[in-house]
Amino acid sequence: MRNSSLFRSGLTVAAASALPLFAAAVPATAQSGISVSTTGSTVSVTTSACTRSNGSWGTASLLNSRQSNFSQGRRVSLTGTEALQSAAWSDVSAGTSTVIVICSDGTRAGTQAVVVSPTARPTISATTSRSPSPSPSSSPSRGVMGGVGGSNRDYGTLTVVGGGVLVGAGVAGAAWYLRRRSSRPRHL
């Protein structure tokens, strides 16, 4: 009887440790190879997905809500290194924009929407007071960080599977320890 409950516990631990492996093996469809951020009316994009070909990393395009394809947007060449390529646009109008990055070899690094917040323009007015008072319309600009949890790196399947194996081993070790501990005779 004791062996059958130990066997069932072992199966439960094995199933629990295999669950992260199964989840890691299924590719995520919503991942993007780019990270987009805004600061005021400036939108910037970074990626590590492109390789240099014929002296170019690739091109990034910023589309407003009325534009639908890459060639209609404001295009900028990517600059950077092997580790990280980037592009930026200034004076972007408030609203939702879409950033598309195409590497020099023709592959799409990613597409991501970003919301640009309206920025308050400082107003200058003559006052008779000696101490300047802040204008109620001048609030700090708070941009939107695009990406998955703020990360700018896409970890491969091997890394996720390795993490799942470590979690599974930890669960199995904890279950084994607790099982061994509960089976010891208690001394008074």
Side-chain angles (χ1 to χ4, degrees):
M1 175 108 171
R2 179 179 156 95
N3 287 340
S4 66
S5 67
L6 181 62
F7 180 73
R8 275 186 266 134
S9 296
L11 286 177
T12 304
V13 169
S17 63
L19 185 60
L21 297 176
F22 177 75
V26 177
T29 57
Q31 288 183 348
S32 177
I34 64 175
S35 178
V36 180
S37 63
T38 64
T39 304
S41 64
T42 301
V43 175
S44 59
V45 62
T46 58
T47 184
S48 59
C50 296
T51 57
R52 192 175 192 125
S53 176
N54 296 326
S56 171
W57 295 104
T59 307
S61 183
L62 178 73
L63 286 70
N64 63 31
S65 59
R66 296 177 308 276
Q67 297 169 326
S68 60
N69 66 35
F70 185 83
S71 62
Q72 292 175 332
R74 290 172 56 185
R75 290 177 284 181
V76 176
S77 295
L78 293 173
T79 59
T81 64
E82 288 287 328
L84 191 67
Q85 304 85 47
S86 64
W89 301 267
S90 57
D91 297 324
V92 178
S93 300
T96 302
S97 298
T98 302
V99 176
I100 302 171
V101 176
I102 297 181
C103 299
S104 60
D105 63 0
T107 59
R108 184 180 288 227
T111 300
Q112 190 170 331
V114 65
V115 177
V116 179
S117 301
T119 56
R121 303 271 184 215
T123 56
I124 301 172
S125 61
T127 61
T128 56
S129 170
R130 289 218 176 257
S131 63
S133 61
S135 169
S137 65
S138 63
S139 63
S141 168
R142 294 183 295 193
V144 176
M145 258 322 252
V148 180
S151 71
N152 64 354
R153 184 163 181 201
D154 181 21
Y155 292 99
T157 304
L158 184 61
T159 304
V160 175
V161 168
V165 167
L166 289 174
V167 168
V171 168
W176 176 79
Y177 175 77
L178 291 173
R179 185 73 181 155
R180 294 262 305 160
R181 186 173 167 208
S182 69
S183 67
R184 290 185 184 161
R186 303 205 187 261
H187 299 288
L188 296 174

